[in-house]
Amino acid sequence: MSNILAFIEVSTTGEIRGSAQMLLKAAADMGTPVAVVAVAPGTGAGLVEQLGSLGAQQVYVAETDAATTTVAAGQVAALEAAVAEFSPTAVLAAHSPDGREIAGRLAVRTKGALLVDAVGVKADGDRVVATHSVFGGAYTVEATVEGGLPIVTLRLGAIDGQAPAGSATAQTAQVTPDTSVAATIDSVNDETVTSTRPELRGAQKIVSGGRGLGSKENFVLVEQLADALGAAVGASRAAVDAGYVPHSYQVGQTGITVSPQLYIALGISGAIQHRAGMQTAKTIVAINKDEDSPIFEIADFGIVGDVFEVVPKVIEAIEARGK
Ligand code: FAD
């Protein structure tokens, strides 16, 4: 089977990011999954077992000081070295800010071809075919490349399941990128997250609220339903602009793109810019008092009603089930 490289992002504190599972699953479905990590020298040993349990058959540990001191230079050099080592038929990365940066640069270095924001990817004979949700989710299209190494960024949450766990073999290499023109990282300030809720990006369940909530105080209802379901909280731009929640909650064209198993939209009309960020959710539930709201066009389940009447009953029912 052909090698498929999965670029695994590692946090500043050395943890594997949540996108690893999705990338290794997609890679395992296409060929032999090879995880590639770029780490500071001597810090990668603990990652190999974890990546094996997520389905990696091999782990290429590229050690470089640049992994933590420059923007992307170490990671791109790690992937470039892995491409030379494994001659893969495709490289997969997360469609995250870092993943996009790294994938774009790798495409230039390898004269490869970039397929971005894919919601699915498969091997079709010799070709790699990526699926994209475009024009605000109105169309699903397939794309392939005619020449060069296919480098695919995958939307977070787009691929379900997990590759079979195993024990990965590790290969460690020292990588020395040219950092003369790289942007350097002077310092990193970790934001302290006090929430016990899942992170919006990559969450399996999301409850989002819109202008229909009416006020910041009322937005608590969205959080209550999210907590009853163990879901992340999102919002429409109108809710963000009205000051109900910070911009980091915004789902849509100019916010975060999500692809959860379950997306519940409360008091959200379903403007195309909002749909662009959530239309690939596997199951969409909408509660809106206007039966003509466009959100119902894409909802799998819809309730026409007032969120302040319906949602407390839904929470009550969920809690009763849990008891
Ligand atoms: P509204 O459209 O005002 O809808 C509120 C809904 O709540 C209505 O359907 C109403 O029937 C319902 N409602 C009211 N009261 C209740 C109640 N008590 N119970 C139940 N239902 C109730 N938007 C985004 O979300 N994300 C983006 O990233 C984004 N990017 C944009 C980029 C550009 C360039 C532009 C031009 C716009 C962008 N927008 C984005 C804005 C988008 O066009 C909409 O204005 C926005 O999504 C509307 O948010 P909303 O659905 O919460 O508000």
Side-chain angles (χ1 to χ4, degrees), residues 277-308:
M278 46 66 73
Q279 191 148 338
T280 55
K282 311 297 178 295
T283 302
I284 298 171
V285 178
I287 304 176
N288 194 304
K289 67 181 183 185
D290 175 7
E291 65 178 25
D292 295 323
S293 241
I295 192 77
F296 289 126
E297 291 166 14
I298 57 162
D300 298 285
F301 300 98
I303 299 174
V304 179
D306 188 322
V307 287
F308 302 108

Tab-separated table of all heavy atoms in Angstrom, residues 277-308:
chain	number	residue	atom	x	y	z
A	277	GLY	N	-20.546	28.016	7.419
A	277	GLY	CA	-19.693	27.500	8.476
A	277	GLY	C	-20.215	26.262	9.173
A	277	GLY	O	-19.514	25.698	10.023
A	278	MET	N	-21.429	25.808	8.838
A	278	MET	CA	-21.982	24.679	9.605
A	278	MET	C	-22.780	23.684	8.760
A	278	MET	O	-23.258	22.691	9.281
A	278	MET	CB	-22.864	25.183	10.769
A	278	MET	CG	-23.865	26.280	10.473
A	278	MET	SD	-25.213	25.884	9.356
A	278	MET	CE	-26.244	24.840	10.356
A	279	GLN	N	-22.897	23.958	7.474
A	279	GLN	CA	-23.804	23.150	6.653
A	279	GLN	C	-23.367	21.702	6.517
A	279	GLN	O	-24.173	20.831	6.185
A	279	GLN	CB	-23.931	23.785	5.265
A	279	GLN	CG	-25.043	23.170	4.451
A	279	GLN	CD	-25.686	24.167	3.520
A	279	GLN	OE1	-25.600	25.368	3.745
A	279	GLN	NE2	-26.317	23.693	2.476
A	280	THR	N	-22.090	21.412	6.769
A	280	THR	CA	-21.637	20.019	6.645
A	280	THR	C	-21.824	19.245	7.944
A	280	THR	O	-21.349	18.109	8.054
A	280	THR	CB	-20.160	19.948	6.192
A	280	THR	OG1	-19.378	20.726	7.098
A	280	THR	CG2	-19.972	20.465	4.782
A	281	ALA	N	-22.485	19.834	8.935
A	281	ALA	CA	-22.801	19.085	10.160
A	281	ALA	C	-23.635	17.856	9.777
A	281	ALA	O	-24.463	17.926	8.868
A	281	ALA	CB	-23.583	19.974	11.124
A	282	LYS	N	-23.418	16.736	10.480
A	282	LYS	CA	-24.093	15.500	10.070
A	282	LYS	C	-25.602	15.590	10.338
A	282	LYS	O	-26.408	15.124	9.557
A	282	LYS	CB	-23.511	14.294	10.823
A	282	LYS	CG	-21.990	14.209	10.826
A	282	LYS	CD	-21.397	14.036	9.442
A	282	LYS	CE	-19.870	14.004	9.447
A	282	LYS	NZ	-19.161	15.209	9.858
A	283	THR	N	-25.968	16.145	11.499
A	283	THR	CA	-27.390	16.324	11.811
A	283	THR	C	-27.605	17.766	12.279
A	283	THR	O	-26.911	18.239	13.179
A	283	THR	CB	-27.842	15.351	12.924
A	283	THR	OG1	-27.576	14.011	12.491
A	283	THR	CG2	-29.326	15.500	13.225
A	284	ILE	N	-28.566	18.436	11.640
A	284	ILE	CA	-28.836	19.840	11.991
A	284	ILE	C	-30.248	19.928	12.574
A	284	ILE	O	-31.217	19.432	11.983
A	284	ILE	CB	-28.722	20.745	10.752
A	284	ILE	CG1	-27.278	20.694	10.200
A	284	ILE	CG2	-29.118	22.193	11.096
A	284	ILE	CD1	-27.098	21.371	8.858
A	285	VAL	N	-30.327	20.540	13.735
A	285	VAL	CA	-31.620	20.761	14.392
A	285	VAL	C	-31.816	22.271	14.517
A	285	VAL	O	-30.894	22.981	14.934
A	285	VAL	CB	-31.637	20.118	15.802
A	285	VAL	CG1	-32.964	20.389	16.506
A	285	VAL	CG2	-31.379	18.615	15.708
A	286	ALA	N	-32.980	22.760	14.138
A	286	ALA	CA	-33.229	24.207	14.237
A	286	ALA	C	-34.487	24.472	15.047
A	286	ALA	O	-35.494	23.771	14.894
A	286	ALA	CB	-33.383	24.799	12.838
A	287	ILE	N	-34.397	25.467	15.910
A	287	ILE	CA	-35.583	25.939	16.641
A	287	ILE	C	-35.717	27.418	16.328
A	287	ILE	O	-34.813	28.212	16.613
A	287	ILE	CB	-35.445	25.700	18.162
A	287	ILE	CG1	-35.168	24.217	18.454
A	287	ILE	CG2	-36.723	26.168	18.882
A	287	ILE	CD1	-34.928	23.890	19.930
A	288	ASN	N	-36.819	27.764	15.695
A	288	ASN	CA	-37.018	29.143	15.248
A	288	ASN	C	-38.520	29.409	15.198
A	288	ASN	O	-39.285	28.525	14.795
A	288	ASN	CB	-36.394	29.327	13.847
A	288	ASN	CG	-36.250	30.787	13.475
A	288	ASN	OD1	-37.223	31.527	13.479
A	288	ASN	ND2	-35.026	31.182	13.164
A	289	LYS	N	-38.925	30.614	15.584
A	289	LYS	CA	-40.377	30.858	15.611
A	289	LYS	C	-40.954	31.222	14.240
A	289	LYS	O	-42.172	31.243	14.071
A	289	LYS	CB	-40.716	31.915	16.655
A	289	LYS	CG	-40.214	33.304	16.387
A	289	LYS	CD	-40.630	34.215	17.551
A	289	LYS	CE	-40.227	35.635	17.299
A	289	LYS	NZ	-40.490	36.520	18.422
A	290	ASP	N	-40.057	31.469	13.258
A	290	ASP	CA	-40.530	31.791	11.914
A	290	ASP	C	-40.417	30.550	11.032
A	290	ASP	O	-39.319	30.115	10.683
A	290	ASP	CB	-39.676	32.940	11.353
A	290	ASP	CG	-40.008	33.260	9.904
A	290	ASP	OD1	-40.990	32.692	9.377
A	290	ASP	OD2	-39.279	34.065	9.307
A	291	GLU	N	-41.555	30.000	10.636
A	291	GLU	CA	-41.514	28.756	9.859
A	291	GLU	C	-40.884	28.932	8.488
A	291	GLU	O	-40.494	27.953	7.840
A	291	GLU	CB	-42.926	28.163	9.713
A	291	GLU	CG	-43.879	29.036	8.911
A	291	GLU	CD	-45.238	28.385	8.750
A	291	GLU	OE1	-45.598	27.555	9.600
A	291	GLU	OE2	-45.925	28.723	7.771
A	292	ASP	N	-40.762	30.177	8.020
A	292	ASP	CA	-40.151	30.428	6.709
A	292	ASP	C	-38.658	30.718	6.805
A	292	ASP	O	-38.017	31.073	5.810
A	292	ASP	CB	-40.848	31.608	6.007
A	292	ASP	CG	-42.288	31.284	5.672
A	292	ASP	OD1	-42.534	30.119	5.305
A	292	ASP	OD2	-43.159	32.169	5.800
A	293	SER	N	-38.106	30.578	7.973
A	293	SER	CA	-36.676	30.844	8.135
A	293	SER	C	-35.849	29.900	7.263
A	293	SER	O	-36.107	28.686	7.253
A	293	SER	CB	-36.290	30.625	9.596
A	293	SER	OG	-35.794	31.796	10.132
A	294	PRO	N	-34.842	30.410	6.558
A	294	PRO	CA	-34.037	29.546	5.673
A	294	PRO	C	-33.314	28.421	6.404
A	294	PRO	O	-32.964	27.417	5.775
A	294	PRO	CB	-33.012	30.505	5.055
A	294	PRO	CG	-33.453	31.874	5.364
A	294	PRO	CD	-34.457	31.833	6.477
A	295	ILE	N	-33.127	28.537	7.692
A	295	ILE	CA	-32.425	27.469	8.425
A	295	ILE	C	-33.187	26.145	8.292
A	295	ILE	O	-32.591	25.067	8.276
A	295	ILE	CB	-32.230	27.839	9.931
A	295	ILE	CG1	-31.246	26.888	10.622
A	295	ILE	CG2	-33.545	27.888	10.692
A	295	ILE	CD1	-29.823	27.109	10.334
A	296	PHE	N	-34.515	26.232	8.137
A	296	PHE	CA	-35.304	25.001	8.021
A	296	PHE	C	-35.046	24.263	6.696
A	296	PHE	O	-35.351	23.083	6.572
A	296	PHE	CB	-36.793	25.292	8.190
A	296	PHE	CG	-37.165	25.644	9.613
A	296	PHE	CD1	-37.839	26.818	9.903
A	296	PHE	CD2	-36.824	24.807	10.662
A	296	PHE	CE1	-38.175	27.142	11.209
A	296	PHE	CE2	-37.145	25.128	11.973
A	296	PHE	CZ	-37.820	26.294	12.251
A	297	GLU	N	-34.500	25.010	5.704
A	297	GLU	CA	-34.206	24.356	4.410
A	297	GLU	C	-33.097	23.319	4.553
A	297	GLU	O	-33.000	22.382	3.763
A	297	GLU	CB	-33.757	25.399	3.373
A	297	GLU	CG	-34.866	26.340	2.953
A	297	GLU	CD	-34.317	27.553	2.210
A	297	GLU	OE1	-33.140	27.545	1.787
A	297	GLU	OE2	-35.081	28.520	2.081
A	298	ILE	N	-32.227	23.523	5.545
A	298	ILE	CA	-31.097	22.574	5.683
A	298	ILE	C	-31.205	21.744	6.958
A	298	ILE	O	-30.358	20.896	7.209
A	298	ILE	CB	-29.743	23.319	5.665
A	298	ILE	CG1	-29.677	24.387	6.769
A	298	ILE	CG2	-29.454	23.905	4.307
A	298	ILE	CD1	-28.269	24.824	7.081
A	299	ALA	N	-32.249	21.991	7.752
A	299	ALA	CA	-32.359	21.267	9.023
A	299	ALA	C	-32.874	19.844	8.795
A	299	ALA	O	-33.755	19.609	7.960
A	299	ALA	CB	-33.301	22.016	9.957
A	300	ASP	N	-32.316	18.892	9.529
A	300	ASP	CA	-32.835	17.519	9.504
A	300	ASP	C	-34.065	17.427	10.394
A	300	ASP	O	-34.989	16.676	10.139
A	300	ASP	CB	-31.759	16.551	10.016
A	300	ASP	CG	-30.529	16.566	9.136
A	300	ASP	OD1	-30.611	15.984	8.045
A	300	ASP	OD2	-29.522	17.187	9.509
A	301	PHE	N	-34.041	18.201	11.488
A	301	PHE	CA	-35.186	18.271	12.400
A	301	PHE	C	-35.437	19.734	12.708
A	301	PHE	O	-34.498	20.472	13.026
A	301	PHE	CB	-34.898	17.528	13.715
A	301	PHE	CG	-34.587	16.072	13.524
A	301	PHE	CD1	-33.273	15.636	13.490
A	301	PHE	CD2	-35.604	15.140	13.362
A	301	PHE	CE1	-32.970	14.295	13.301
A	301	PHE	CE2	-35.303	13.799	13.166
A	301	PHE	CZ	-33.996	13.366	13.136
A	302	GLY	N	-36.685	20.150	12.602
A	302	GLY	CA	-36.990	21.547	12.891
A	302	GLY	C	-38.156	21.672	13.853
A	302	GLY	O	-39.105	20.888	13.798
A	303	ILE	N	-38.051	22.634	14.744
A	303	ILE	CA	-39.179	22.935	15.632
A	303	ILE	C	-39.535	24.399	15.416
A	303	ILE	O	-38.685	25.288	15.598
A	303	ILE	CB	-38.811	22.709	17.118
A	303	ILE	CG1	-38.416	21.244	17.356
A	303	ILE	CG2	-39.973	23.119	18.030
A	303	ILE	CD1	-37.903	20.961	18.751
A	304	VAL	N	-40.797	24.640	14.988
A	304	VAL	CA	-41.250	26.017	14.857
A	304	VAL	C	-41.805	26.414	16.214
A	304	VAL	O	-42.818	25.876	16.674
A	304	VAL	CB	-42.342	26.145	13.760
A	304	VAL	CG1	-42.826	27.590	13.658
A	304	VAL	CG2	-41.797	25.664	12.415
A	305	GLY	N	-41.093	27.303	16.876
A	305	GLY	CA	-41.536	27.697	18.209
A	305	GLY	C	-40.587	28.692	18.835
A	305	GLY	O	-39.517	29.000	18.282
A	306	ASP	N	-40.998	29.178	19.986
A	306	ASP	CA	-40.224	30.179	20.721
A	306	ASP	C	-39.135	29.454	21.529
A	306	ASP	O	-39.441	28.529	22.297
A	306	ASP	CB	-41.190	30.915	21.660
A	306	ASP	CG	-40.537	32.100	22.340
A	306	ASP	OD1	-39.346	31.994	22.696
A	306	ASP	OD2	-41.224	33.125	22.507
A	307	VAL	N	-37.890	29.881	21.347
A	307	VAL	CA	-36.805	29.173	22.055
A	307	VAL	C	-37.004	29.200	23.576
A	307	VAL	O	-36.617	28.246	24.272
A	307	VAL	CB	-35.398	29.750	21.727
A	307	VAL	CG1	-34.955	29.379	20.325
A	307	VAL	CG2	-35.316	31.242	21.953
A	308	PHE	N	-37.620	30.262	24.060
A	308	PHE	CA	-37.775	30.375	25.520
A	308	PHE	C	-38.830	29.412	26.071
A	308	PHE	O	-38.866	29.121	27.253
A	308	PHE	CB	-38.100	31.822	25.909
A	308	PHE	CG	-37.025	32.760	25.439
A	308	PHE	CD1	-37.249	33.633	24.383
A	308	PHE	CD2	-35.764	32.727	26.018
A	308	PHE	CE1	-36.246	34.463	23.932
A	308	PHE	CE2	-34.746	33.550	25.567
A	308	PHE	CZ	-34.995	34.422	24.520
